[in-house]
Amino acid sequence: IVADRPLSITVRRNGREITRSPVPMSNAAWTIVRRVGMEFKRVTTEKNRKLVELASREIARELRQRRPRLLPAFLQVTRVVKGSAAHALGIEKGDLLLGIVDRVPEMFRTSKVLRTYSTLTELNDSLHVLAGRYRNAEYEIWLLREGELLDGPLDIRRL
């Protein structure tokens, strides 16, 4: 059994064969669903260079960087769970996760840092850390939808 690859299952019931092909999830993917209510697929430069370049440019523009750095990949929403934090925020299938704004304590102030993710493992690890900092933590999420940057507060559940 391999995560993200359909598993063909055939069952006999009342003399009839029923075949289904569920897709198993990795532990990281399942934990992300439980925390924020979204499933993702990885979008790389090999799969969709224009989209990765657009997302990289949008981040650079928002952060007022002179020269955009081409990031290796982004995560694109493939499903939003009804009743989840993502659903409440209006996140849709096809939205591209640009990152989550983290609050990093410094000597006399707190800085905001945009955390970007190119794999489910990176996102899962980050959500674990962010959720562990504060009870019922809420962070700003940045998304790209049809070339437009969207942001909003996302609740990250503690598990």
Side-chain angles (χ1 to χ4, degrees):
I1 298 174
V2 178
D4 301 325
R5 291 208 182 123
L7 177 65
S8 184
I9 298 174
T10 303
V11 178
R12 280 189 183 225
R13 193 174 285 159
N14 299 328
R16 286 185 11 193
E17 278 192 358
I18 301 170
T19 302
R20 297 285 184 257
S21 297
V23 179
M25 283 184 164
S26 68
N27 186 48
W30 176 236
T31 304
I32 292 166
V33 169
R34 291 175 53 215
R35 283 194 194 279
V36 294
M38 288 182 275
E39 289 181 33
F40 295 92
K41 72 175 180 182
R42 191 166 189 252
V43 179
T44 62
T45 52
E46 291 81 30
K47 290 180 184 173
N48 192 336
R49 186 171 188 86
K50 285 186 178 187
L51 185 58
V52 173
E53 286 175 347
L54 174 64
S56 297
R57 276 194 314 271
E58 192 62 33
I59 288 173
R61 188 180 68 73
E62 281 296 315
L63 297 178
R64 294 180 177 87
Q65 296 173 338
R66 289 194 176 146
R67 292 189 323 166
R69 181 173 65 102
L70 183 63
L71 296 171
F74 287 91
L75 298 175
Q76 188 170 38
V77 178
T78 57
R79 185 173 82 94
V80 177
V81 177
K82 252 187 176 161
S84 68
H87 183 255
L89 190 56
I91 295 173
E92 298 176 2
K93 179 180 177 178
D95 288 350
L96 200 66
L97 174 64
L98 297 182
I100 297 174
V101 178
D102 188 6
R103 298 180 296 265
V104 179
E106 291 180 356
M107 189 72 111
F108 297 107
R109 64 187 180 105
T110 300
S111 293
K112 289 184 175 184
V113 176
L114 180 69
R115 304 279 183 213
T116 59
Y117 310 101
S118 60
T119 68
L120 289 175
T121 303
E122 288 175 358
L123 176 58
N124 182 48
D125 291 349
S126 182
L127 291 175
H128 176 74
V129 170
L130 296 173
R133 282 202 198 136
Y134 311 101
R135 193 162 245 353
N136 299 321
E138 189 177 88
Y139 290 88
E140 184 180 352
I141 185 170
W142 287 14
L143 301 160
L144 190 66
R145 180 183 298 157
E146 297 175 7
E148 181 182 354
L149 183 124
L150 306 171
D151 64 344
L154 180 69
D155 292 321
I156 301 174
R157 286 185 54 206
R158 254 187 178 168
L159 301 179

